[in-house]
Amino acid sequence: MEQLRSFIKKEFYHIFRDPRTMLILFGIPIAQLLIFGTVIKSEITDIHIAIYDQAKDKTSQEITHKLLSSGYFILDKNLESLDDIDAIFKKGKVREVIVFKNDFGKNLVKEGTAEMQLIADASDPNTAKLAIAYTSAIVNDYIKKLYPEMHMPMQITPEVRMYFNEEMQSAYMFVPGVMAMILMLISAMMTSISITREKELGTMEILLVSPLKPAQIIVGKVIPYLFLSIANAFVIVLMGRFVFGVPITGSFILLMLETILFIMMALCLGILISTVAKNQMVAMFISMIGLLLPTMLLSGFIFPVKNMPIPLQVLSHAMPAKYFITIIRAIMLKGVGLFYVWKETAVLIGMTLFFIALSVKKFKIRLE
Amino acid sequence: MEEKIITVKNMVKRFGDFTANDNLTFDVYKGEIFGFLGANGAGKTTAIRILCGLSSPTSGEMKVAGFDIYKETEKIKKNIGYMSQKFSLYEDLTVSENIKLYAGIYGISAKKRKAKEAELLKKLELEAVKNKLIGDLPLGWKQKLAFSVAIFHDPKIVFLDEPTGGVDPVTRRKFWDLIYEAANNGITVFVTTHYMDEAEYCNRVSIMDAGKIEALDTPAKLKEKYKAKNMDEVFIKIAR
């Protein structure tokens, strides 16, 4: 025990004396959270639009007024012909054109259907999608209030409505994602780097010649990062709660236990990487490309898994972060208990055991 | 006959087709300074790594400090010290912290450590820099400290793998003073080197070439046998 204690103490010296490590451990998580929280918002403001109102009746004007007073849109130009549409998109400023067809209001009252066209500049697909979604929702809202019994003829799918909701929920979506990413970064990458550093410097040999057992070396390497990762998870959850207003409706203890499970899984991955990587550069590369990128791209944190091609969907099932994000969202937002996330939890436990077994085997081989 | 502290019989280590250690057989006696000589790539480091338990041999019978190298590695580890050609102290730890770390790893009590640490720092004249980071010290100081740390737990044997690489002759001479002192205190020293002047300091030397031990005797007898003025000539005659 005394052996392990002095080893862990040394590990903390390494961490606290290296400015770069400190920056990664404490600077990056906060920066990431703020960046994701403020920049990657799925909401729009001040989208420039143009309107081609063929009907020019009360209904079309009221809808226009409603759109412009919503705060999301700025009217750039009133168009006079369909030919203008192409030209105005080419100028680049206008992102969406709204066309009210002839007799818009009249048809709506008389036949219950009216035609309107929403055309968006899809060179920026995200903004285009959001602009369409916002417009549809506002129009829908207007019609519903005006004629509660009426059905809108426009294609307003439930999916569109969900996108609209995302404005309020974007923070809810990214906090679990950022948490998964940062824990992966600290636990897996930093552990693998710190172990490979000893290999590179030659101090690992000294440790292996000493009476320290390989398991003690691994535990000693991992424990500091376990604590720091837990501290970071706290910071992220608290920042999510108090800066971005993400509620924790479920059990905080369960949330933390699941987080610790995920950290353990990531630490094992870090050890595994260190047994494969010859030096710190390689360890960093494997962690970045093998862990961080897939965590960001395939876990459903930024891009919905549903929209991916089938091979990538299959691959996403191998992403530990995917299960973690599902669990965290369920606990934080839906407030469910372990009963509802036991499958995902089991998968994470399974992955952890698998990686432990694999790294123990690999570490032994490396000693040869 | 003197007491044998390392016995090696028919040690073989192969990496694929390449034979790094080809049937080595030798003994090391207690308290001697045993020089393990050879050109780069002759297989010195491979052999020392096997004896320290860092690498496992392909075949052969080996005993270190009386313990079997296959079955009693844990006991061997407690009884040996090791200093590699790469540097073995932590650069971002202070002198004192490095000593504390190794004392802790080898299970030396705090009380004993404090006394030994004070004595060691005084001997090496490092008292003034004990709270400085290792990274800020000159190489010669670091090597002396690394050696002292390697024998801090009073091992029976200390393995030194090219310990004096990259330092000037004066510093090397001072380093050897420390080695003599350790040997006088009963610690067996197993040292690899390719500096032939250092070979003269050893009680006995073995000279390796292409994975085989070509000669093993005291420097004086080797010089006589090969009719050479110094170890340099002996080495050149053998390695050619």
Side-chain angles (χ1 to χ4, degrees):
Chain A
M1 238 17 243
E2 181 57 35
Q3 287 177 307
L4 198 56
R5 211 183 60 92
S6 40
F7 188 79
I8 292 171
K9 207 167 147 192
K10 150 203 147 338
E11 217 50 50
F12 275 112
Y13 283 139
H14 288 326
I15 293 168
F16 292 133
R17 282 182 191 166
D18 183 20
R20 279 175 303 177
T21 307
M22 288 300 279
L23 190 70
I24 292 178
L25 286 179
F26 297 102
I28 286 184
I30 293 172
Q32 293 249 5
L33 205 60
L34 291 176
I35 290 170
F36 277 99
T38 47
V39 179
I40 310 190
K41 270 192 183 165
S42 342
E43 65 184 51
I44 54 170
T45 46
D46 299 344
I47 294 280
H48 288 264
I49 59 168
I51 291 177
Y52 176 30
D53 192 350
Q54 296 173 339
K56 292 203 175 73
D57 54 25
K58 187 169 159 267
T59 316
S60 73
Q61 266 157 22
E62 271 180 12
I63 290 177
T64 305
H65 180 72
K66 215 164 178 293
L67 283 171
L68 296 181
S69 62
S70 69
Y72 301 123
F73 303 105
I74 293 175
L75 182 62
D76 231 51
K77 206 176 175 189
N78 276 307
L79 303 180
E80 291 306 328
S81 85
L82 282 171
D83 298 334
D84 292 346
I85 294 174
D86 203 39
I88 202 156
F89 271 140
K90 277 187 179 151
K91 278 189 195 157
K93 201 174 176 193
V94 167
R95 298 310 185 112
E96 187 189 33
V97 173
I98 297 164
V99 183
F100 296 98
K101 291 287 162 107
N102 274 326
D103 301 329
F104 183 78
K106 217 165 96 191
N107 285 349
L108 194 65
V109 177
K110 233 167 51 188
E111 295 164 28
T113 65
E115 277 183 61
M116 135 178 221
Q117 230 176 5
L118 306 179
I119 309 161
D121 173 4
S123 60
D124 178 356
N126 270 336
T127 311
K129 221 194 273 176
L130 285 167
I132 296 280
Y134 276 55
T135 315
S136 317
I138 290 170
V139 172
N140 207 2
D141 190 49
Y142 169 81
I143 302 288
K144 263 198 188 144
K145 271 184 194 149
L146 200 59
Y147 312 102
E149 74 284 1
M150 199 89 62
H151 292 290
M152 263 305 282
M154 285 190 305
Q155 292 293 312
I156 302 170
T157 62
E159 199 192 347
V160 169
R161 287 197 59 95
M162 195 184 72
Y163 279 125
F164 184 55
N165 277 340
E166 202 168 284
E167 178 215 352
M168 329 245 309
Q169 285 192 353
S170 63
Y172 298 3
M173 300 305 230
F174 81 80
V175 166
V178 169
M179 191 146 126
M181 212 167 70
I182 286 171
L183 293 180
M184 206 64 149
L185 178 84
I186 296 172
S187 310
M189 189 166 100
M190 297 308 283
T191 317
S192 65
I193 288 179
S194 100
I195 296 179
T196 42
R197 179 166 50 204
E198 299 239 14
K199 281 207 256 176
E200 223 174 309
L201 295 178
T203 45
M204 186 55 99
E205 289 188 348
I206 304 295
L207 296 174
L208 290 173
V209 167
S210 82
L212 278 179
K213 293 183 182 64
Q216 285 178 309
I217 298 176
I218 292 187
V219 170
K221 279 269 157 203
V222 154
I223 280 185
Y225 292 101
L226 176 64
F227 281 117
L228 292 170
S229 301
I230 293 173
N232 258 303
F234 259 107
V235 171
I236 296 168
V237 170
L238 291 181
M239 268 181 79
R241 175 74 190 80
F242 295 107
V243 181
F244 298 107
V246 181
I248 306 164
T249 40
S251 153
F252 185 73
I253 294 173
L254 181 63
L255 183 73
M256 274 300 143
L257 288 178
E258 295 279 4
T259 304
I260 291 171
L261 174 64
F262 182 70
I263 292 172
M264 302 274 265
M265 195 281 318
L267 289 172
C268 294
L269 268 176
I271 297 166
L272 193 62
I273 290 173
S274 74
T275 61
V276 185
K278 280 205 174 59
N279 56 45
Q280 295 177 67
M281 280 298 271
V282 177
M284 202 156 105
F285 246 80
I286 298 180
S287 312
M288 282 285 192
I289 299 194
L291 294 180
L292 282 185
L293 270 182
T295 299
M296 270 174 81
L297 302 180
L298 294 179
S299 65
F301 152 40
I302 296 179
F303 306 111
V305 175
K306 258 188 290 179
N307 298 351
M308 292 175 195
I310 298 294
L312 287 185
Q313 284 197 30
V314 173
L315 199 61
S316 81
H317 289 298
M319 294 298 129
K322 184 193 137 173
Y323 300 96
F324 178 63
I325 292 174
T326 309
I327 293 171
I328 295 302
R329 277 182 185 163
I331 296 174
M332 284 175 93
L333 309 179
K334 295 182 201 157
V336 299
L338 184 59
F339 183 72
Y340 290 90
V341 290
W342 71 268
K343 269 190 212 155
E344 285 82 3
T345 309
V347 171
L348 280 186
I349 292 176
M351 284 179 163
T352 310
L353 293 178
F354 175 72
F355 291 133
I356 288 181
L358 205 60
S359 8
V360 166
K361 198 166 162 259
K362 279 267 183 185
F363 201 80
K364 268 190 190 149
I365 290 170
R366 212 186 55 70
L367 287 180
E368 294 291 304
Chain B
M1 198 59 197
E2 288 167 273
E3 190 188 334
K4 288 175 188 169
I5 196 147
I6 301 174
T7 56
V8 175
K9 264 186 211 152
N10 309 323
M11 177 159 94
V12 176
K13 175 70 179 183
R14 286 195 198 93
F15 296 103
D17 287 340
F18 175 68
T19 307
N21 290 156
D22 191 358
N23 223 13
L24 305 186
T25 299
F26 61 90
D27 297 319
V28 178
Y29 302 117
K30 191 165 185 266
E32 76 172 337
I33 301 176
F34 187 85
F36 212 55
L37 273 58
N40 289 331
K44 300 177 308 239
T45 298
T46 309
I48 214 171
R49 287 175 63 89
I50 290 173
L51 293 176
C52 289
L54 284 172
S55 172
S56 38
T58 310
S59 66
E61 277 174 51
M62 271 84 45
K63 273 191 175 171
V64 174
F67 300 111
D68 186 88
I69 196 167
Y70 299 102
K71 293 176 204 142
E72 298 171 301
T73 33
E74 294 308 312
K75 283 179 188 158
I76 292 177
K77 283 177 172 187
K78 284 201 180 79
N79 287 298
I80 62 171
Y82 174 69
M83 178 183 167
S84 74
Q85 50 197 340
K86 277 198 203 168
F87 200 46
S88 42
L89 298 170
Y90 291 96
E91 302 255 322
D92 55 345
L93 263 56
T94 66
V95 172
S96 188
E97 283 159 359
N98 265 292
I99 295 175
K100 267 182 207 150
L101 169 67
Y102 284 100
I105 288 176
Y106 281 93
I108 296 167
S109 71
K111 200 177 145 199
K112 201 176 159 200
R113 188 207 72 224
K114 271 179 202 151
K116 274 200 92 167
E117 185 186 337
E119 190 189 324
L120 176 68
L121 291 175
K122 199 174 168 203
K123 188 177 82 186
L124 298 178
E125 295 169 351
L126 290 176
E127 283 158 311
V129 293
K130 72 170 187 181
N131 291 323
K132 275 206 172 165
L133 298 182
I134 293 288
D136 298 335
L137 302 182
L139 183 61
W141 295 19
K142 291 188 215 173
Q143 281 175 333
K144 282 201 281 184
L145 185 65
F147 176 72
S148 305
V149 165
I151 56 166
F152 197 78
H153 58 291
D154 295 319
K156 287 188 178 146
I157 310 162
V158 63
F159 291 93
L160 308 173
D161 191 6
E162 294 184 12
T164 54
V167 295
D168 59 85
V170 178
T171 313
R172 257 177 33 217
R173 183 63 244 193
K174 282 188 185 157
F175 188 84
W176 273 85
D177 288 341
L178 285 177
I179 294 183
Y180 277 125
E181 194 192 311
N184 282 337
N185 291 334
I187 297 176
T188 307
V189 180
F190 188 108
V191 57
T192 72
T193 181
H194 50 237
Y195 292 114
M196 289 306 139
D197 58 327
E198 291 189 348
E200 310 266 2
Y201 306 150
C202 300
N203 297 120
R204 286 193 308 146
V205 293
S206 80
I207 299 180
M208 271 187 90
D209 185 41
K212 287 194 172 85
I213 292 183
E214 298 291 344
L216 200 174
D217 217 325
T218 62
K221 281 191 183 155
L222 284 175
K223 279 186 277 190
E224 201 183 302
K225 188 178 166 194
Y226 289 91
K227 298 186 177 57
K229 282 200 300 286
N230 52 36
M231 284 307 291
D232 221 23
E233 284 183 19
V234 173
F235 184 72
I236 288 168
K237 279 183 178 165
I238 289 172
R240 196 165 8 183

